[in-house]
Amino acid sequence: MTIPVRCECGHWLKVGDESAGSRGECPACGRVVTLTPLPSDESAPAYSQHPTPLEVTSFLDAPSTNLAAADNVPPVPVFRRMLEALLDPRAIHWMLLIGGGLSVLGLIIWLVSIGVFDDPRNVAAALGAGSLAILGGGWATTLKSRYLLAGKALTFLGCVVTPLNLWFYHSQNLLTIDQHLWIGGLICVGLYAVTVRMLRDPLFMYAVEAGITLTTLLVMADLNLIHDTGHLALFLISLGAISIHAERAFPSSGAFDRQRFGLPLFWSGHAQLGTGLALLLSSQVIGWLAMPLGIEWPGDFVTRSSLLAGGLWIAGGWLYLYSDLIVRQKSVHTWLATLSLVMAELTLTAEYVNEVGFIAVTALTALVLQVIRGTLVSQNTGFRNQLATIAAVLSVLPVLLGTLLYVQGPREIIASIGLGVEASSWFAAALLLTAVCNITSAVLCRQSHPRVAAAHHYLGTFSLLIAASSALNEFAVTQWSLQALALMLLPILYIVAARCCRGLTAETPLARAAHGLTIIILGGAFIASFGQGTTAFFHSARGHLLTLQLAGTFSLATVFYALAGWFRGRGWNAYLATAAACTAMGHALGYYGVPETYYPLTYAVLGLIALALGRAWGIVPRAVNDSTAEPVPSLPGKGLTAFQCGTVVTSVALLAALLRGIGQLSGTLEWRDLITLAATAATGFAAIWVVPQSDWRRWFAMWTGAIGIVGLLMINQLSILTGWQKLEVFSVFSGLMLLAAGHIGLFKENGKRDESISLGLWLGSLLAATPLFIAMCFHRFEVGDPSLIDELALLTVSTAMLVSGCSWRIKSTTILGGSVLLAYLVILVASVAYRPEVAIGVYLLVGGALIFAIGVLLSIYRDRLMQLPEMIAKRNGIFRVIGWR
């Protein structure tokens, strides 16, 4: 027996009575509908007059009669799951959007390349008529048929195409900006408003806001104000304020309610407000850094007046507070309001203090706020929490400014800022004051706000590091490789202090700050090895002082990680201590002239010996249950430490062999290098058999396989293709294979998330898209002759990644494919002005139209395609031939 249900889009739905009360998806619009039948006296007349009620096939909740048998349901085949995900209305929506956009862009590039715009008046008439036809066709399809998704897609395409008429009028001098082109923008806004009125879809409210923004920009261009970033920021902030407050103009209920039609204005207003404030911030930053960096910057309308700029920041703070208190209580609005008010303070006080004074004032202001918060006896805990948040945000500013000033100097640029040798001691004192203020704030809020206290500890630690480095500069110790030897004492002192605070709230923040200091110092030592005209970090020079300094730095790092492992009992400290010790030993060996060819093999043999000793001393692999009752692999035993050190040493050796082999591919190869690489790979194979756990076996198998691939590339170096072309073909092929395996594995998951699949998808996306993008850039900008094969392959791969990622909701392919496709399209559009792009334009036009057509067909025949796997399984219809003998 079926029950009648009506969706918000106006369509009647039919479902079985066993699904009453559950949630389903409307086949027409894709909305989630609660399947509750209306009273019979209300639903029967209208339901009887509707000849074709739609059957709900997608349910978010299982029917009640099937709950008992849910555990016995066989797993859904991978093909059916992939097809269902592809036929999801949201996936089809993405496909329609991407295909339509690419088709329009390809059409424009093709028309420009073949010179169709020679007769602008006829083309203008055709373009206008075509835009209106697409828009009207979308209206008619939505209102007069049941294909709502396809109709809305056509309407959206019409909304995208309509503003192109304005661009064409201006480019062909038919109606320029100086001739009040903004009137055409008003016409676009009117068409968008009529679309909202006719279709009653809040999605097109964003089109109305986009049209209003475009009209505003055209008005500014007509008044010759758009070139001034100050006027642009002022107009956008004002427009954002109007849009945000316009949300209240809609009623709380009704056909055009505030929730559905007012919020698009609200979010669009925030986009306008954020853009205006970003322009204001960029203008101010350029104005502040213009003189120190030697840039000629006359200023703009807003930045020349600190009162006006500060007022705009205060207005931005009010709008964010209004959004938080009145409209949507989101924590991000509180943070943005705080940032705006802080920028207002910075703008209003920048004329009276220099950079060093601002560091001290801001640090003391944050400390005063923490003291006030601690002394309040008010019961309003929200206000006290807000004070703690504002104090934490203010504490970031002096650290950030101090970091920017420190990165610029203590060499040449710092003298132009006014922090020369005479003022550097004041700079170190200001950072030391910042560290003291943050540590004091951490002590004040350690009980009420432990997370804020931890943040203050981290900020104080970083400030102390910069202050110590600046103090060393005062004593003519300017090389970071030499400073690292002295600065490594800080994390050692911090880990000892964490041990002294054992059981207190400061223990964990101090320990984490110590690890952060170590990472920064070692990273600086790594970068410093490249800043002195040598690659001493990877190729230690015999008797070179920098090599000896790096050996000493990593020796102190070994002491730190050993103490951390002793005090904290974390297993990964043994890994880091071993890696630091290996690095120190490598630099020590290099300092005494041991050839680098034997380093990886030596480390691999030592790591294999450590692994064997760990197994001999005793480690027993077993599974234990964590807090969620999930089995977790464990390796208890006396040989655990030796085993951990062996895994680290072997991993470092395999990585070093891999990097060295890759580096030798572009140079002269010797049989000794290939034999050493093969011996290292054999050591990796031996480690696979020594380790007891499958996770470690996969780890060593991955690195050993990579080394084997490098060995094959060495052997095949004399082939016809160049080395870069071979690497490109191999990378793209490997990436596509990883993506195929990742997609299949993704749809084979049954509830439990496998992180190796996510890693494979990310790695496959990088390997598939990055080499093609690099090849495209090389041929366009270096050779000067675009490679059609590389560009067509880049378009195909990136578009397929973007479409599949949006359709199947995969983050890696969506982000990387979309980023590469967007970057290529920007380069392509910019290059149209210099050379015709007929082939690429036609390919874009055809490919985008094909994707759009596939999306339309999928939206029309979605119900039939959903039944296709079942027909194949039951041998129904034409598929009966499968069961014939």
Side-chain angles (χ1 to χ4, degrees):
M1 181 177 179
T2 59
I3 58 175
V5 180
R6 189 172 187 179
C7 179
E8 295 181 7
C9 64
H11 282 79
W12 283 95
L13 313 177
K14 61 178 181 179
V15 295
D17 55 358
E18 70 277 2
S19 300
S22 62
R23 294 176 299 161
E25 195 173 72
C26 177
C29 65
R31 287 188 176 92
V32 177
V33 182
T34 301
L35 304 176
T36 303
L38 296 175
S40 58
D41 55 345
E42 298 181 13
S43 61
Y47 185 69
S48 61
Q49 295 175 6
H50 201 285
T52 56
L54 304 179
E55 182 177 359
V56 179
T57 58
S58 299
F59 297 90
L60 275 70
D61 303 310
S64 57
T65 57
N66 296 331
L67 292 178
D71 297 334
N72 299 324
V73 176
V76 181
V78 174
F79 172 73
R80 180 177 178 85
R81 295 178 64 184
M82 298 178 72
L83 184 61
E84 290 176 353
L86 184 64
L87 295 178
D88 185 88
R90 284 168 289 188
I92 298 175
H93 193 189
W94 276 108
M95 189 178 299
L96 292 171
L97 293 179
I98 296 172
L102 291 178
S103 178
V104 172
L105 182 59
L107 177 62
I108 295 173
I109 295 175
W110 179 51
L111 293 178
V112 171
S113 301
I114 65 177
V116 171
F117 292 149
D118 295 339
D119 191 359
R121 289 175 296 180
N122 296 333
V123 176
L127 186 60
S131 302
L132 294 177
I134 295 175
L135 198 60
W139 293 349
T141 305
T142 305
L143 298 176
K144 302 298 182 181
S145 70
R146 66 186 185 93
Y147 304 119
L148 299 181
L149 190 60
K152 291 180 180 179
L154 287 175
T155 307
F156 177 81
L157 183 62
C159 293
V160 173
V161 172
T162 302
L164 296 178
N165 291 272
L166 305 181
W167 164 77
F168 183 77
Y169 296 157
H170 178 74
S171 63
Q172 300 298 325
N173 293 322
L174 298 177
L175 181 63
T176 62
I177 292 178
D178 298 334
Q179 298 172 345
H180 310 304
L181 184 62
W182 57 269
I183 298 176
L186 285 180
I187 296 175
C188 292
V189 173
L191 291 175
Y192 298 155
V194 172
T195 302
V196 173
R197 181 68 180 178
M198 293 181 64
L199 303 186
R200 299 192 176 186
D201 192 331
L203 176 65
F204 296 99
M205 290 295 296
Y206 294 103
V208 174
E209 277 292 320
I212 293 175
T213 305
L214 175 63
T215 304
T216 303
L217 295 177
L218 291 176
V219 170
M220 293 182 61
D222 194 1
L223 299 176
N224 199 22
L225 299 177
I226 199 169
H227 302 290
D228 193 313
T229 54
H231 285 96
L232 189 59
L234 179 61
F235 271 75
L236 287 176
I237 293 173
S238 303
L239 192 61
I242 295 173
S243 299
I244 290 174
H245 287 89
E247 180 263 347
R248 292 283 129 175
F250 289 86
S252 57
S253 62
F256 295 93
D257 60 298
R258 183 182 302 162
Q259 181 68 22
R260 297 177 61 234
F261 291 88
L263 284 182
L265 296 180
F266 175 78
W267 295 123
S268 301
H270 273 282
Q272 296 159 349
L273 174 62
T275 305
L277 292 179
L279 289 173
L280 176 60
L281 177 62
S282 61
S283 299
Q284 288 182 303
V285 170
I286 294 175
W288 291 336
L289 299 180
M291 183 177 297
L293 298 179
I295 302 174
E296 295 184 2
W297 172 251
D300 54 27
F301 172 70
V302 175
T303 55
R304 283 192 292 265
S305 174
S306 59
L307 292 178
L308 179 58
L312 289 178
W313 282 114
I314 293 175
W318 154 250
L319 290 173
Y320 286 124
L321 287 176
Y322 168 82
S323 301
D324 184 26
L325 299 176
I326 305 300
V327 184
R328 305 279 286 184
Q329 294 183 357
K330 298 288 185 180
S331 59
V332 65
H333 294 151
T334 303
W335 285 97
L336 292 174
T338 303
L339 177 62
S340 300
L341 295 177
V342 169
M343 283 303 302
E345 178 186 5
L346 172 61
T347 303
L348 296 175
T349 59
E351 297 182 359
Y352 306 100
V353 296
N354 60 7
E355 293 84 354
V356 177
F358 183 77
I359 291 175
V361 168
T362 311
L364 290 174
T365 302
L367 178 60
V368 169
L369 287 178
Q370 283 290 2
V371 172
I372 294 175
R373 184 206 58 81
T375 56
L376 284 177
V377 295
S378 173
Q379 299 298 323
N380 189 351
T381 57
F383 178 68
R384 299 180 65 184
N385 294 338
Q386 189 67 19
L387 281 180
T389 303
I390 294 174
V393 172
L394 284 178
S395 299
V396 176
L397 290 179
V399 180
L400 180 60
L401 181 58
T403 304
L404 292 176
L405 296 178
Y406 177 79
V407 169
Q408 291 182 5
R411 297 178 180 88
E412 296 86 2
I413 301 179
I414 197 171
S416 64
I417 300 179
L419 298 175
V421 178
E422 298 80 9
S424 58
S425 58
W426 291 105
F427 176 71
L431 266 298
L432 181 60
L433 176 63
T434 303
V436 172
C437 290
N438 277 284
I439 294 173
T440 306
S441 298
V443 174
L444 291 176
C445 63
R446 66 186 184 278
Q447 299 295 337
S448 59
H449 299 81
R451 293 184 178 179
V452 176
H456 282 297
H457 275 299
Y458 303 146
L459 294 173
T461 301
F462 195 67
S463 303
L464 186 61
L465 175 65
I466 299 178
S469 179
S470 301
L472 289 175
N473 291 328
E474 281 294 297
F475 294 97
V477 182
T478 57
Q479 294 182 358
W480 183 265
S481 58
L482 186 58
Q483 284 190 6
L485 280 172
L487 295 178
M488 272 304 302
L489 297 175
L490 286 177
I492 295 176
L493 292 176
Y494 261 77
I495 200 66
V496 173
R499 177 68 174 181
C500 296
C501 297
R502 183 172 50 180
L504 303 177
T505 57
E507 179 185 5
T508 301
L510 288 176
R512 291 177 179 176
H515 284 284
L517 282 174
T518 305
I519 293 174
I520 294 173
I521 294 170
L522 296 182
F526 173 78
I527 297 174
S529 65
F530 297 93
Q532 301 183 14
T534 178
T535 56
F537 193 88
F538 296 108
H539 304 284
S540 301
R542 181 176 182 179
H544 199 281
L545 182 60
L546 179 59
T547 302
L548 186 61
Q549 292 170 355
L550 291 173
T553 301
F554 280 93
S555 298
L556 291 177
T558 305
V559 174
F560 165 76
Y561 286 119
L563 290 175
W566 182 22
F567 293 156
R568 304 281 293 171
R570 302 292 193 270
W572 50 269
N573 286 312
Y575 293 85
L576 296 176
T578 306
C582 290
T583 307
M585 184 177 68
H587 287 298
L589 293 175
Y591 182 76
Y592 290 104
V594 178
E596 295 182 356
T597 305
Y598 303 103
Y599 283 15
L601 180 59
T602 303
Y603 282 126
V605 172
L606 292 177
L608 184 61
I609 294 173
L611 288 174
L613 289 176
R615 292 298 303 272
W617 286 340
I619 52 174
V620 181
R622 67 183 183 187
V624 297
N625 293 330
D626 59 5
S627 58
T628 60
E630 290 290 335
V632 178
S634 177
L635 288 175
K638 295 181 179 179
L640 179 59
T641 303
F643 178 79
Q644 291 175 337
C645 296
T647 53
V648 172
V649 173
T650 308
S651 301
V652 171
L654 295 178
L655 176 61
L658 179 63
L659 293 176
R660 183 172 180 81
I662 293 174
Q664 290 173 339
L665 288 175
S666 59
T668 303
L669 291 176
E670 298 180 1
W671 282 106
R672 182 183 65 176
D673 300 326
L674 187 58
I675 293 173
T676 305
L677 189 67
T680 307
T683 307
F685 276 113
I688 296 174
W689 294 101
V690 172
V691 295
Q693 280 186 345
S694 58
D695 293 339
W696 281 113
R697 289 174 181 171
R698 286 194 296 268
W699 172 262
F700 287 126
M702 178 184 69
W703 289 112
T704 306
I707 293 175
I709 292 173
V710 173
L712 293 176
L713 291 176
M714 286 182 176
I715 296 174
N716 196 39
Q717 191 175 15
L718 299 178
S719 63
I720 298 176
L721 295 177
T722 64
W724 291 111
Q725 290 173 334
K726 292 186 294 183
L727 181 60
E728 178 188 358
V729 172
F730 174 77
S731 299
V732 174
F733 178 79
S734 302
L736 294 177
M737 292 299 101
L738 284 174
L739 286 176
H743 281 78
I744 295 174
L746 182 65
F747 285 94
K748 283 186 176 180
E749 289 181 341
N750 290 321
K752 187 175 181 180
R753 184 184 180 95
D754 190 358
E755 294 299 333
S756 62
I757 295 177
S758 301
L759 178 62
L761 289 172
W762 279 104
L763 184 60
S765 301
L766 286 172
L767 290 176
T770 305
L772 293 173
F773 184 78
I774 294 175
M776 181 274 298
C777 294
F778 175 79
H779 284 283
R780 277 188 174 270
F781 302 116
E782 183 67 21
V783 179
D785 185 16
S787 174
L788 185 61
I789 297 177
D790 287 326
E791 298 198 9
L792 293 180
L794 177 63
L795 266 176
T796 304
V797 171
S798 59
T799 304
M801 288 170 57
L802 178 60
V803 173
S804 63
C806 294
S807 300
W808 288 324
R809 304 176 188 176
I810 302 175
K811 184 190 300 182
S812 56
T813 53
T814 302
I815 294 177
L816 293 177
S819 302
V820 171
L821 180 60
L822 178 61
Y824 172 69
L825 292 179
V826 171
I827 295 174
L828 179 65
V829 172
S831 65
V832 171
Y834 302 97
R835 65 169 64 90
E837 301 288 352
V838 178
I840 300 298
V842 172
Y843 187 81
L844 269 175
L845 173 62
V846 175
L850 181 61
I851 296 175
F852 186 83
I854 292 174
V856 173
L857 292 176
L858 289 178
S859 66
I860 295 175
Y861 298 104
R862 179 172 178 268
D863 296 335
R864 298 182 183 178
L865 291 173
M866 289 293 291
Q867 299 172 1
L868 188 62
E870 185 177 358
M871 293 177 63
I872 297 175
K874 294 182 178 181
R875 306 295 192 265
N876 294 334
I878 194 175
F879 300 104
R880 286 180 293 182
V881 71
I882 300 176
W884 294 356
R885 184 170 178 175

